[in-house]
Amino acid sequence: MKKWLENIRRVEPYVPGEQPKDTDVIKLNTNENPYPPAPQVLEAAKSMDMNLLKLYPDPAASKLVDALAEAHGVGSAQIFPGVGSDDVLSMIFLTFFNSDKPVLFPDITYSFYSVWASVYGIPYECPALDSDFRIRAEDYYRENGGVVIANPNAPTSIYEGLDFIEDILRHNEDSVVVVDEAYIDFAGGPSAIELLPEYENLIVVRTFSKSRSMAGLRIGYAVAGEELIRALNDVKYSVNSYTLNKPAIELGAAAVKSTEYYEEITRRVVATRERAAKELAELGFECLPSGTNFLFAKHRTVPGERIFKELRDAGIYVRHFDAPRIDDYLRITVGTDEQMDKLTAFLKKYA
């Protein structure tokens, strides 16, 4: 064995959803929004001065940060932007989880958490979800090096109310608590951002990839107290000063100001989600209660892997996780009404 091979950091990488090269498919596997970005975003894209791409972007992404701060009713010093929420979460793991105590997050949740912990050498433990796939708050009442809760959780799609989040915060005053709200706009309930004035150890993470229809631009951000954001920026500027590019900053700011449009398409996604869940139940599927733009469903008798493969062969892409307790479940992104109709028409063969 070559000596230098001994020094390579080896981790089990995160596996993203498949991006099929064939565009003539129904793509319901990566939780993208089926509707286009807001008209204001498209107009802003047309009017951009492309000559400015020769210059570095604003390292503070001030235009976007100021727009987000105004939208959330916080100070600009309480916003940390990044290249998608994955970049933001990665910086959070690197910045705050720096003790010998294990970071806690559920055994069934966003699988990138364990990857970041492994990459950065962070000890972690994963309390098991209960038999209904819900997080048990009491599992987070013990000493730890930090807590990460996706709310709504993924891939289970279940949303917990603010009382639940506050319970965890009250029992973890000595730890940083991260609430990952990638899907919050589809949940129909309040955001943990409302708790920021009371809990200085809370960080809330958001993304433009879901309800804002901008997965391709990679925009995410955190909202927290100024002390936590300052620490995040210190690490960011020690790793990469220029994270967000100019188009992301400009178009992201335009998206923040397009509230009415995004509220409307979110209502459409939720309406389609509820209709699809009802139709899937009639076809023999069980769906967990969803607060996201996807459904987590399994058939009562047919194995999930078989359905996944047969859907893929038919040009309909959904997500299947080959993992304990959830290997019979499919994660189905909510597409347009037409896309969901084609999905349910195919699934009638299992009824």
Side-chain angles (χ1 to χ4, degrees), residues 64-273:
L64 175 60
V65 165
D66 291 346
L68 286 166
E70 182 179 358
H72 289 300
V74 300
S76 294
Q78 291 182 257
I79 303 288
F80 176 83
V83 186
S85 59
D86 287 341
D87 177 46
V88 175
L89 286 161
S90 176
M91 287 294 101
I92 287 171
F93 271 67
L94 184 59
T95 303
F96 300 113
F97 301 153
N98 190 33
S99 77
D100 295 331
K101 301 171 186 175
V103 173
L104 305 179
F105 46 84
D107 65 331
I108 300 173
T109 191
Y110 187 30
S111 55
F112 226 144
Y113 300 154
S114 59
V115 175
W116 287 315
S118 297
V119 168
Y120 297 133
I122 300 166
Y124 68 95
E125 294 178 7
C126 299
L129 300 181
D130 69 15
S131 58
D132 294 321
F133 293 107
R134 303 193 88 102
I135 300 168
R136 292 181 287 219
E138 59 269 25
D139 289 340
Y140 299 83
Y141 291 176
R142 57 192 173 90
E143 194 173 29
N144 60 72
V147 174
V148 185
I149 300 292
N151 192 42
N153 196 14
T156 63
S157 77
I158 295 174
Y159 167 78
E160 303 289 355
L162 285 193
D163 288 348
F164 176 88
I165 298 298
E166 191 165 15
D167 185 19
I168 290 177
L169 284 162
R170 282 198 304 267
H171 285 87
N172 288 280
E173 294 180 353
D174 295 329
S175 302
V176 169
V177 176
V178 182
V179 180
D180 182 355
E181 292 189 337
Y183 300 97
I184 190 66
D185 291 330
F186 304 101
S191 163
I193 290 174
E194 294 183 15
L195 300 175
L196 285 174
E198 300 174 57
Y199 297 95
E200 62 182 8
N201 60 326
L202 169 63
I203 306 177
V204 182
V205 180
R206 295 287 200 88
T207 179
F208 281 50
S209 298
K210 312 304 180 186
S211 63
R212 297 276 172 177
S213 301
M214 297 174 73
L217 268 185
R218 312 304 300 127
I219 304 171
Y221 63 100
V223 191
E226 292 185 15
E227 187 175 7
L228 294 181
I229 296 299
R230 192 159 48 246
L232 275 171
N233 276 314
D234 286 346
V235 172
K236 167 199 165 179
Y237 286 120
S238 301
V239 175
N240 179 8
S241 299
Y242 302 104
T243 51
L244 284 172
N245 58 53
K246 282 180 178 288
I249 294 169
E250 291 292 326
L251 304 186
V256 173
K257 298 173 183 178
S258 306
T259 304
E260 289 185 8
Y261 173 82
Y262 286 113
E263 287 178 347
E264 171 58 27
I265 64 170
T266 296
R267 283 192 292 269
R268 291 170 67 182
V269 169
V270 169
T272 302
R273 180 190 75 198

Side-chain angles (χ1 to χ4, degrees), residues 3-70:
K3 196 69 176 173
W4 53 265
L5 288 173
E6 298 175 7
N7 298 320
I8 294 176
R9 188 184 304 277
R10 302 188 187 279
V11 295
E12 190 70 33
Y14 172 74
V15 179
E18 184 177 0
Q19 296 290 346
K21 294 192 170 41
D22 184 1
T23 57
D24 188 24
V25 298
I26 297 174
K27 191 171 181 297
L28 305 174
N29 66 330
T30 49
N31 300 341
E32 295 138 325
N33 200 304
Y35 300 106
Q40 296 94 318
V41 173
L42 302 179
E43 285 301 315
K46 292 177 184 176
S47 62
M48 280 190 63
D49 182 357
M50 293 300 161
N51 286 321
L52 294 178
L53 295 183
K54 66 186 177 184
L55 304 175
Y56 282 111
D58 171 16
S62 299
K63 186 172 183 177
L64 175 60
V65 165
D66 291 346
L68 286 166
E70 182 179 358

